[in-house]
Amino acid sequence: MWRQKNYKGSVTVEMSYIMPLILFILMSLIRVSFYFHDKIILSGIMGETLITGAQYAREEGREPVDLQAFFKERVHNKLAVLDVDEMEVLEDRKQIQVQVKAKKWNMQLHLNQKGNRIRPEELLRKKRKMEIFTKKGK
């Protein structure tokens, strides 16, 4: 009634080669997704730092904000894999620049964002003065 079938061991041997490859690809995809997660988080926080620096620079009479402390506070416990090694804020009269270097193991990330310090109130004052001068000239 019950018969034994002769099975070959080729399926087991083939799977012993294929499964490590599938696991390697899966783990690589997870690692890459964590890398891009950290890149997006860092990029967003750098943008927040730029906006904060530009806003505080516009308001006269206010003491300057420490943008590096602001950045560190925002990054705290938000990154999945990378660690921030260097963070630098460069400010001049017209621009703010934020540079970040993060790495862990063999993954490295270098980000750089620049933002202009605009003063729309100064442009509006100049525009109004020009309108007044052109009306007086007519």
Side-chain angles (χ1 to χ4, degrees):
M1 292 193 111
W2 187 73
R3 286 192 253 166
Q4 280 188 334
K5 294 182 182 180
N6 293 330
Y7 291 107
K8 293 182 179 179
S10 64
V11 173
T12 306
V13 172
E14 288 170 4
M15 289 305 284
S16 69
Y17 287 111
I18 293 174
M19 283 307 291
L21 181 65
I22 291 172
L23 289 175
F24 175 75
I25 292 171
L26 180 67
M27 297 305 278
S28 297
L29 285 173
I30 291 171
R31 188 172 181 186
V32 166
S33 66
F34 281 142
Y35 173 81
F36 282 109
H37 167 269
D38 288 354
K39 182 177 180 178
I40 290 168
I41 294 292
L42 280 174
S43 189
I45 294 172
M46 288 171 66
E48 287 179 33
T49 305
L50 282 174
I51 291 170
T52 303
Q55 285 177 345
Y56 278 95
R58 266 182 64 193
E59 299 175 11
E60 294 180 15
R62 194 172 210 184
E63 63 183 60
V65 65
D66 184 12
L67 294 177
Q68 288 188 343
F70 176 81
F71 181 85
K72 288 177 184 177
E73 177 185 326
R74 299 292 293 157
V75 166
H76 184 67
N77 289 333
K78 293 219 173 53
L79 301 179
V81 177
L82 298 174
D83 295 325
V84 176
D85 283 346
E86 295 178 27
M87 186 274 180
E88 187 175 17
V89 178
L90 305 171
E91 297 182 65
D92 62 6
R93 190 171 178 268
K94 292 188 176 186
Q95 273 190 343
I96 299 174
Q97 182 176 1
V98 179
Q99 297 176 348
V100 174
K101 293 180 183 178
K103 68 179 181 178
K104 187 149 192 179
W105 304 310
N106 61 347
M107 292 188 293
Q108 293 184 4
L109 182 63
H110 301 278
L111 294 173
N112 186 13
Q113 284 189 8
K114 293 179 184 179
N116 291 332
R117 289 184 174 180
I118 56 171
R119 295 183 179 262
E121 60 275 358
E122 290 178 4
L123 294 174
L124 289 173
R125 285 186 199 121
K126 287 178 184 178
K127 183 180 175 185
R128 285 184 189 150
K129 285 180 183 178
M130 290 303 292
E131 287 174 357
I132 292 171
F133 288 135
T134 54
K135 286 181 185 177
K136 285 183 180 179
K138 290 182 181 179

